[in-house]
Amino acid sequence: MAVHVSPCSSSSSSTLSTSSFDHYTSSYFCKQVNSIPYRIHSPKWGSKIFSRIHQRNNFDLNSSNGYPLNAVSWQNGSMEKPLTEEVPPSRPGEAHTTLSITVVGASGDLAKKKIFPALFALFYEDFLPENFVVFGYARTKMSDEELRNMISKTLTCRVDKRENCADKMEQFLKRCYYHSGQYNSEEHFGELDCKLKEKEGGSLSNRLFYLSIPPNIFVDVVKCASNNAASTSGWTRVIVEKPFGRNSESSRELTRSLKQYLSEDQIFRIDHYLGKELVENLSVLRFSNLVFEPLWSRNYIRNVQFIFSEDFGTEGRGGYFDNYGIIRDIMQNHLLQILALFAMETPVSLDAEDIRNEKVKVLRSMRPLQLEDVIVGQYKGHSKGGKSYSGYTDDPTVPKDSITPTFAAAALFINNARWDGVPFLMKAGKALHTKKTEIRVQFRHVPGNLYRRNFGTDLDKATNELVLRLQPDEAIYLKINNKVPGLGMRLDRSDLNLLYRARYSREIPDAYERLLLDAIEGERRLFIRSDELDAAWSLFSPLLRELEEKKIAPELYPHGSRGPIGAHYLAAKHNVRWGDLTGED
Ligand SMILES: NC(=O)C1=CN([C@@H]2O[C@H](COP(=O)(O)OP(=O)(O)OC[C@H]3O[C@@H](n4cnc5c(N)ncnc54)[C@H](OP(=O)(O)O)[C@@H]3O)[C@@H](O)[C@H]2O)C=CC1
Ligand SMILES: O=C1O[C@H](COP(=O)(O)O)[C@@H](O)[C@H](O)[C@H]1O
């Protein structure tokens, strides 16, 4: 990203090298610890030095790498200030910084459902910086007021008991604006730049663009935004939604095209599963508890299962979905990312590069995926209890003869010393009987089990299983064997259960909140680096090509069922039983 030409302001255009952007990451506050002073900007008082000790409340929450957040809470009475629609003016000689967030594709499903609500939640919880504006950008004609009306329908006050929710919503909506334009128009992005500048009021600006649009227009938008609406005084970052290509070649081409305008540091490839609370907890569980890490290998773990199921079909997204299918939609990204986090070696530190280095090593160590280790399915129409459920190809946006899989199961292997021979099973499906995402870790038998007689012949029932239920109803539980109380010796299976809603009263933030905050912070740990992406595609692309070239017909399964029977055969081939189908949970 090099040249910025401003068509609207008297301020001169400037040239910025890409490397200069992240220099401004910590412009609000210097990240330091303990009593080392923080630099806190208050529009009322200008830049002030506060001791962290005195501001402890402001740093109760950390960004996802455990560092204190740069965002500050203004709940502290002495710092309270009225929120105004416009960014407050700077005093002479004093520069304040504005964060401008532009949601490109603001009229779309994801923007309405997730992005605006997440931004509001961050504002509501006082995690957005003092001076911020939100712009929606799309082709749909809308006024600022219409945008506010549209997004107000999906904003929620997550913590019900808060009294000031309506006020907060109003304050947030006042910071939201809209600009209608084409995605490939330099002129329209120039107009957006004018509006951004006007709201930024001459302050330093950091600009975040969220590309919530179909992937075929990513590059147009990045080109126009970078040439016409990049920040000239602070950083510019772009969050890119998946899909990042359809295979290795298209993904590399996308990365190459984006890098004509952005540096890798400016690209935040989002995989919202990495922002989920239980995925965050996976590493904490493993690396901060002595009882788990020593067991985390082929010596004790029999198999690992990553299970994603949704109890609804592709409703409304059939057009998109048919071009991608479940393997690209869920497995190549969400499930594979979790697998990499699960299986990686201990990183040197919690820094983004250290973690991503370890994840890449896992991905590169994976055995090429064979067609015989994969089964695909597609849901068909079904009637139950007088109600009928449509099949995938009943969707008018899906070709009647589509063979796009809406279900897939796969057995993967990691060819390294830790995991040699351990099956990592994945299963992902739409229109199944339940909505659930889980990681299940099945442990080996206890050698020479003294109590084997008490379990009968089915020794599978005697093994431990650790389950991380990502959603719904987040939980971590460990299936153990215990004695039934009484004079006899009868064994039972029980759960040691950490059920989040029972343990914590605090509501769990949505993944998009965490990820947006991290992007604002410049924290890249939960975003996908280009070499990770490349390794992920290298694993799945040959398989996808083979499935498509051989036109492998998916096994049909009824909408609302447990999926194709082939998934059981695949698991059985590797001496595994799907943990979610044992009837124990
Ligand atoms: N929806 C979801 O749950 C998820 C979505 N994603 C990804 O996020 C991105 C956005 O998703 P979503 O909001 O569902 O997408 P939409 O299909 O709703 O598209 C978003 C906006 O982009 C514009 N648009 C749509 N199609 C085209 C087109 N062919 N050419 C130009 N502009 C178009 C429309 O705005 P206008 O006409 O006003 O310009 C639309 O409102 C996509 O990349 C998707 O894959 C990722 C995870 C989940
Ligand atoms: O990325 C996607 O994720 C959603 C599921 O997300 P969740 O957070 O609700 O589990 C899925 O429905 C969609 O098909 C896919 O594109």
Side-chain angles (χ1 to χ4, degrees):
M1 187 174 281
V3 185
H4 175 81
V5 182
S6 168
C8 54
S9 71
S10 52
S11 64
S12 59
S13 62
S14 59
T15 303
L16 275 185
S17 77
T18 45
S19 58
S20 63
F21 287 120
D22 273 288
H23 181 67
Y24 296 90
T25 301
S26 301
S27 56
Y28 278 95
F29 314 102
C30 308
K31 268 186 207 164
Q32 294 178 51
V33 289
N34 297 328
S35 58
I36 301 170
Y38 272 85
R39 194 156 179 278
I40 300 185
H41 178 264
S42 149
K44 195 168 167 193
W45 302 108
S47 292
K48 283 199 159 195
I49 305 292
F50 284 81
S51 152
R52 170 140 192 242
I53 284 175
H54 298 129
Q55 293 298 319
R56 185 171 285 281
N57 289 343
N58 294 328
F59 299 97
D60 277 353
L61 280 162
N62 294 334
S63 78
S64 64
N65 71 353
Y67 293 135
L69 284 166
N70 278 356
V72 69
S73 164
W74 291 96
Q75 282 171 340
N76 179 322
S78 65
M79 296 173 73
E80 215 160 89
K81 59 165 227 55
L83 283 163
T84 55
E85 187 171 350
E86 300 297 327
V87 171
S90 338
R91 291 210 235 134
E94 174 191 290
H96 63 237
T97 308
T98 301
L99 171 67
S100 301
I101 303 166
T102 303
V103 181
V104 183
S107 55
D109 180 59
L110 186 73
K112 282 185 264 190
K113 232 172 41 189
K114 293 289 185 185
I115 304 169
F116 288 116
L119 287 171
F120 173 61
L122 290 177
F123 172 71
Y124 184 58
E125 299 280 350
D126 295 306
F127 280 113
L128 288 185
E130 176 59 14
N131 299 316
F132 77 93
V133 285
V134 176
F135 262 82
Y137 185 101
R139 296 170 307 182
T140 301
K141 299 270 179 259
M142 250 192 281
S143 63
D144 293 342
E145 219 32 61
E146 283 166 331
L147 173 87
R148 290 171 188 157
N149 265 336
M150 181 189 88
I151 60 183
S152 66
K153 297 191 176 84
T154 53
L155 303 188
T156 53
C157 294
R158 289 193 297 111
V159 186
D160 296 330
K161 299 234 159 50
R162 291 283 179 89
E163 286 154 11
N164 59 351
C165 182
D167 288 353
K168 282 276 201 179
M169 251 185 216
E170 203 183 319
Q171 288 164 9
F172 176 77
L173 290 171
K174 277 185 185 167
R175 310 276 194 105
C176 296
Y177 302 90
Y178 185 73
H179 186 67
S180 162
Q182 297 297 319
Y183 297 112
N184 59 358
S185 166
E186 305 259 351
E187 187 191 338
H188 295 166
F189 276 89
E191 290 162 9
L192 171 71
D193 182 59
C194 295
K195 289 191 175 173
L196 287 169
K197 283 203 170 106
E198 187 192 322
K199 302 301 170 204
E200 289 161 0
S203 61
L204 296 181
S205 72
N206 291 322
R207 291 186 178 175
L208 178 66
F209 291 85
Y210 196 125
L211 305 196
S212 182
I213 43 174
N216 58 316
I217 48 176
F218 285 170
V219 180
D220 284 343
V221 169
V222 165
K223 177 175 178 227
C224 294
S226 125
N227 286 342
N228 301 280
S231 169
T232 54
S233 54
W235 51 252
T236 300
R237 296 181 189 142
V238 180
I239 299 181
V240 189
E241 259 298 345
K242 62 179 255 280
F244 315 115
R246 289 189 80 252
N247 51 30
S248 292
E249 292 75 37
S250 54
S251 162
R252 276 183 208 139
E253 176 54 25
L254 179 60
T255 297
R256 198 194 56 75
S257 303
L258 293 179
K259 285 191 179 173
Q260 285 180 279
Y261 308 102
L262 300 168
S263 67
E264 177 67 21
D265 276 0
Q266 292 177 278
I267 305 172
F268 287 69
R269 297 177 193 84
I270 200 165
D271 183 317
H272 76 279
Y273 265 65
L274 292 182
K276 290 195 186 270
E277 189 63 40
L278 267 274
V279 177
E280 276 286 80
N281 208 1
L282 176 57
S283 299
V284 177
L285 188 77
R286 176 179 165 195
F287 296 121
S288 73
N289 293 294
L290 187 62
V291 293
F292 291 115
E293 175 53 21
L295 305 184
W296 224 253
S297 75
R298 64 191 301 276
N299 297 331
Y300 299 97
I301 292 178
R302 210 161 35 126
N303 68 77
V304 189
Q305 305 176 14
F306 301 89
I307 301 171
F308 166 97
S309 70
E310 277 183 342
D311 57 0
F312 49 88
T314 56
E315 287 96 5
R317 295 184 73 219
Y320 149 80
F321 192 88
D322 202 60
N323 194 22
Y324 289 91
I326 199 79
I327 297 177
R328 292 185 177 93
D329 193 44
I330 303 293
M331 280 190 170
Q332 181 271 350
N333 35 67
H334 303 327
L335 297 190
L336 190 61
Q337 281 296 320
I338 303 174
L339 181 153
L341 269 180
F342 179 96
M344 70 183 181
E345 297 299 316
T346 313
V348 173
S349 76
L350 290 178
D351 280 357
E353 299 324 317
D354 288 333
I355 292 176
R356 298 192 296 184
N357 288 344
E358 293 308 327
K359 282 167 64 196
V360 173
K361 283 188 209 158
V362 174
L363 297 174
R364 290 198 179 139
S365 306
M366 298 201 67
R367 186 197 291 177
L369 200 42
Q370 306 295 325
L371 192 55
E372 57 269 25
D373 278 334
V374 176
I375 77 108
V376 289
Q378 188 186 83
Y379 65 93
K380 60 180 183 183
H382 175 59
S383 298
K384 201 161 101 188
K387 225 181 144 197
S388 60
Y389 300 87
S390 56
Y392 174 64
T393 53
D394 296 331
D395 181 332
T397 60
V398 171
K400 286 278 164 260
D401 57 353
S402 170
I403 55 165
T404 299
T406 59
F407 177 101
L412 300 106
F413 293 87
I414 303 170
N415 284 340
N416 66 14
R418 186 185 283 269
W419 296 115
D420 190 18
V422 177
F424 284 78
L425 295 193
M426 281 184 184
K427 184 165 74 160
K430 294 202 171 258
L432 294 170
H433 72 297
T434 186
K435 177 168 168 55
K436 206 188 268 188
T437 308
E438 295 176 324
I439 306 170
R440 303 186 84 102
V441 188
Q442 298 188 341
F443 290 89
R444 293 191 183 281
H445 302 124
V446 174
N449 192 336
L450 276 179
Y451 294 98
R452 63 185 301 139
R453 269 192 317 153
N454 304 70
F455 291 110
T457 50
D458 193 352
L459 275 179
D460 269 354
K461 288 213 171 121
T463 59
N464 298 119
E465 187 174 22
L466 174 68
V467 182
L468 280 84
R469 189 165 65 226
L470 273 50
Q471 60 189 33
D473 213 7
E474 291 82 350
I476 300 175
Y477 56 95
L478 179 64
K479 290 183 178 298
I480 55 145
N481 304 307
N482 61 290
K483 178 183 168 301
V484 177
L487 297 179
M489 176 51 76
R490 213 152 52 79
L491 266 59
D492 196 10
R493 292 270 281 167
S494 301
D495 292 346
L496 298 181
N497 195 351
L498 166 58
L499 182 61
Y500 275 49
R501 75 178 141 75
R503 174 74 179 87
Y504 299 104
S505 53
R506 199 189 163 86
E507 207 166 312
I508 294 176
D510 188 79
Y512 283 87
E513 292 168 38
R514 188 187 313 278
L515 294 168
L516 271 160
L517 190 55
D518 277 2
I520 293 168
E521 277 283 290
E523 169 55 59
R524 292 174 181 78
R525 188 171 63 87
L526 299 178
F527 293 88
I528 319 289
R529 209 167 60 186
S530 63
D531 55 346
E532 277 185 87
L533 179 62
D534 207 35
W537 276 122
S538 297
L539 181 64
F540 278 98
S541 290
L543 168 85
L544 287 161
R545 192 179 317 117
E546 201 175 347
L547 279 169
E548 284 157 11
E549 278 173 7
K550 291 187 173 158
K551 296 196 184 337
I552 303 289
E555 184 181 332
L556 298 179
Y557 61 95
H559 188 139
S561 69
R562 288 166 191 269
I565 198 80
H568 297 276
Y569 291 125
L570 175 68
K573 187 174 135 187
H574 297 285
N575 293 319
V576 177
R577 274 191 216 178
W578 291 107
D580 61 325
L581 300 178
T582 56
E584 277 193 352
D585 290 338

